[in-house]
Amino acid sequence: MTSSEDSVSAWKCKQVAQWLQEKGFGEYVELLCTRHRLDGLSLLALTEADLRGPPLGLTVLGDIKRLTLALRQLQRQNQSQLEELGIPTSDSLPAVLPMDTTGLEWSFDRAESRYNGFDLVSNGTELRLRNGSRCGYGTAAALCHTHSNGRYRKHLAGRLDPEVWKTVISVIYVFLVFGFTSFVMVIVHERVPDMRTYPPLPDIFLDSVPRIPWAFAMAEACGLILCYMFLLILLLHKHRSILLRRLCSLMGTVFLLRCCTMFVTSLSVPGQHLKCSSKTYSDTWGKIQRALAIWSGFGMTLTGVQTCGDYMFSGHTVVITMLNFFVTEYTPQTWNLIHTISWVLNLFGIFFILAGHEHYSIDVFIAFYITTRLFLYYHTLANTRAYQQSRRARIWFPMFFFFECNVNGPVPNQYHWPFSKPALMKTLIG
């Protein structure tokens, strides 16, 4: 055949199509050569992960495996061309790991294992090697290498770079959103419906469960306990900067949505015990002072803040649920007691919000649904890196792409004591 006489890297699409026909993969000629213009150079760099994932998306397992084997054979036959192109060969994996296996230790946490100081993190079909924030061959070059089905792909070092400056931006973002939310709450209070004209709406839960006067304070207490738990995890987590950045970006986004929903629709007061009436301020400065009072008191009744009209949807439910999900996500799966306590606090907090008759059931349900969906969508995109293949995702989620573009895959749950003293804590935690 003519294509065998030429350098594979110099093949055109027609020669690649001929090679596919000879190997028995003629049905994929149109997909690979016509639609995706696969030439010899890209054929040599093709991996099983490329075949499985977008935009190719092959689904027949037997074809995937047979084509992968044919590709590996072709790559072995053209090893010199791979070296010239700077594509590492499959034989170079042992160079990354220490050759001396003395003191070999393995420890597993979810999809994570450690080998003599190197971290091997499994994510789908990928196996990444990381030593702290630097990876490389032998003496640790400034590149990370991803092993995927026998092949390597180079990544820039520092895939879990703290990027503190981005975290600072996320903190500023959430504080600005909280300030804006406080101001919207002041405006909403001016428009709260008159209780004599608009009585409480029918609600199955509120109509069936008598009001417990101290319940709302207990809901805020549950939130405070969850907050302290998360702060402790944040202090001890090795990747605390990424955790804080994600919490701030998610919390800010949900509360920004809450500003829209409570502004466009004013629900009637859910209980006769709430002494709510429309409150008008003489000037803008008076509104700003009230907003600052709400903002500085975190909108909590425990700090003396009393608001009206901000019902759709429940901010307390958002905070409690978000903290619960962060606590359970960023602690090992074996910490069952911590996860149980976190979920109990979340569920009891929601119950106490409703038992205090401070929100309608729909307020709490929508808050829980939006918070959980946004958390899961965010982490699914971040962990799978699916947005890298989608231009639409980058357009619709620009802030997510900005914060997560350098975080390559799931964040491992590693802990260490951030201070030099006491030495006992450094020894126990690492």
Side-chain angles (χ1 to χ4, degrees):
M1 125 178 188
T2 306
S3 60
S4 63
E5 300 171 0
D6 302 327
S7 171
V8 175
S9 60
W11 283 5
K12 303 299 181 184
C13 294
K14 183 178 180 180
Q15 292 165 299
V16 172
Q18 191 176 354
W19 180 83
L20 289 170
Q21 292 281 4
E22 287 188 350
K23 296 297 181 180
F25 302 105
E27 60 186 291
Y28 298 111
V29 168
E30 195 268 338
L31 172 67
L32 297 174
C33 298
T34 306
R35 288 166 54 186
H36 292 284
R37 299 194 295 273
L38 202 72
D39 58 9
L41 190 62
S42 51
L43 183 67
L44 286 175
L46 199 63
T47 66
E48 182 176 343
D50 296 330
L51 298 175
R52 291 176 178 272
L56 297 179
L58 272 62
T59 56
V60 181
L61 181 61
D63 289 351
I64 293 173
K65 291 300 182 182
R66 283 188 291 272
L67 183 52
T68 301
L69 291 174
L71 286 170
R72 289 180 181 174
Q73 183 180 8
L74 183 67
Q75 289 159 353
R76 280 195 298 269
Q77 293 171 353
N78 296 270
Q79 189 167 346
S80 59
Q81 294 183 41
L82 292 175
E83 293 173 355
E84 289 177 7
L85 295 171
I87 302 175
T89 62
S90 58
D91 299 330
S92 56
L93 174 61
V96 181
L97 298 175
M99 297 305 294
D100 182 11
T101 57
T102 305
L104 176 64
E105 295 182 0
W106 290 91
S107 63
F108 291 92
D109 173 20
R110 290 188 178 181
E112 175 190 352
S113 61
R114 283 185 287 279
Y115 173 87
N116 286 347
F118 281 78
D119 292 337
L120 286 78
V121 182
S122 174
N123 176 27
T125 58
E126 294 188 347
L127 181 66
R128 286 184 298 280
L129 287 83
R130 185 179 69 257
N131 184 10
S133 62
R134 297 180 62 83
C135 304
Y137 290 111
T139 58
L143 290 173
C144 291
H145 294 79
T146 299
H147 179 262
S148 177
N149 300 293
R151 306 304 306 155
Y152 276 100
R153 292 198 299 270
K154 293 185 178 181
H155 289 270
L156 293 177
R159 61 176 289 273
L160 287 180
D161 187 345
E163 296 185 295
V164 178
W165 66 278
K166 287 186 179 180
T167 304
V168 172
I169 292 176
S170 71
V171 172
I172 295 173
Y173 166 70
V174 75
F175 269 89
L176 289 176
V177 169
F178 283 166
F180 181 68
T181 303
S182 301
F183 189 77
V184 172
M185 290 167 72
V186 174
I187 296 175
V188 167
H189 197 165
E190 290 184 325
R191 300 169 52 234
V192 65
D194 187 355
M195 295 179 65
R196 291 168 296 184
T197 307
Y198 300 96
L201 298 172
D203 187 288
I204 292 178
F205 187 93
L206 302 188
D207 295 342
S208 304
V209 178
R211 175 178 172 263
I212 303 174
W214 46 265
F216 198 66
M218 286 299 298
E220 293 186 342
C222 291
L224 284 174
I225 295 172
L226 278 168
C227 183
Y228 293 141
M229 290 173 62
F230 175 74
L231 289 176
L232 181 60
I233 292 169
L234 191 66
L235 174 68
L236 300 178
H237 205 285
K238 183 178 179 181
H239 307 291
R240 62 184 67 86
S241 180
I242 299 175
L243 267 64
L244 182 58
R245 183 164 70 241
R246 289 180 172 180
L247 176 70
C248 291
S249 61
L250 283 170
M251 198 77 80
T253 302
V254 177
F255 270 85
L256 202 57
L257 176 62
R258 181 173 182 258
C259 289
C260 299
T261 57
M262 67 182 179
F263 178 77
V264 298
T265 303
S266 297
L267 298 179
S268 58
V269 179
Q272 296 290 347
H273 67 284
L274 295 171
K275 306 303 179 184
C276 287
S277 59
S278 179
K279 189 170 184 179
T280 305
Y281 295 88
S282 57
D283 55 9
T284 304
W285 177 242
K287 296 179 182 179
I288 293 175
Q289 285 182 314
R290 175 57 180 162
L292 288 174
I294 297 174
W295 182 75
S296 60
F298 299 102
M300 298 173 61
T301 58
L302 292 179
T303 60
V305 175
Q306 180 67 42
T307 60
C308 290
D310 54 325
Y311 301 123
M312 179 60 69
F313 44 88
S314 169
H316 284 72
T317 303
V318 169
V319 173
I320 292 173
T321 304
M322 190 73 75
L323 289 173
N324 168 38
F325 271 64
F326 268 88
V327 168
T328 53
E329 175 70 18
Y330 293 105
T331 51
Q333 289 182 341
T334 54
W335 291 17
N336 296 319
L337 179 61
I338 297 295
H339 297 169
T340 302
I341 293 173
S342 181
W343 270 105
V344 167
L345 289 170
N346 189 177
L347 297 177
F348 267 87
I350 290 175
F351 170 78
F352 285 134
I353 291 172
L354 292 172
H357 289 206
E358 296 286 339
H359 275 283
Y360 290 106
S361 301
I362 189 66
D363 303 344
V364 174
F365 174 79
I366 290 178
F368 183 82
Y369 182 83
I370 290 176
T371 305
T372 55
R373 294 314 96 184
L374 193 61
F375 179 93
L376 294 174
Y377 295 157
Y378 188 103
H379 283 76
T380 299
L381 282 174
N383 292 346
T384 60
R385 308 284 289 170
Y387 66 92
Q388 285 189 330
Q389 306 291 339
S390 174
R391 179 170 166 268
R392 181 180 299 175
R394 297 186 187 188
I395 295 173
W396 279 99
F397 309 110
M399 186 175 67
F400 168 83
F401 180 72
F402 171 72
F403 285 137
E404 298 294 333
C405 61
N406 294 326
V407 181
N408 222 350
V411 175
N413 289 324
Q414 301 169 331
Y415 299 90
H416 79 285
W417 183 249
F419 311 108
S420 57
K421 294 181 180 180
L424 177 61
M425 295 298 293
K426 194 78 174 175
T427 305
L428 289 175
I429 302 176

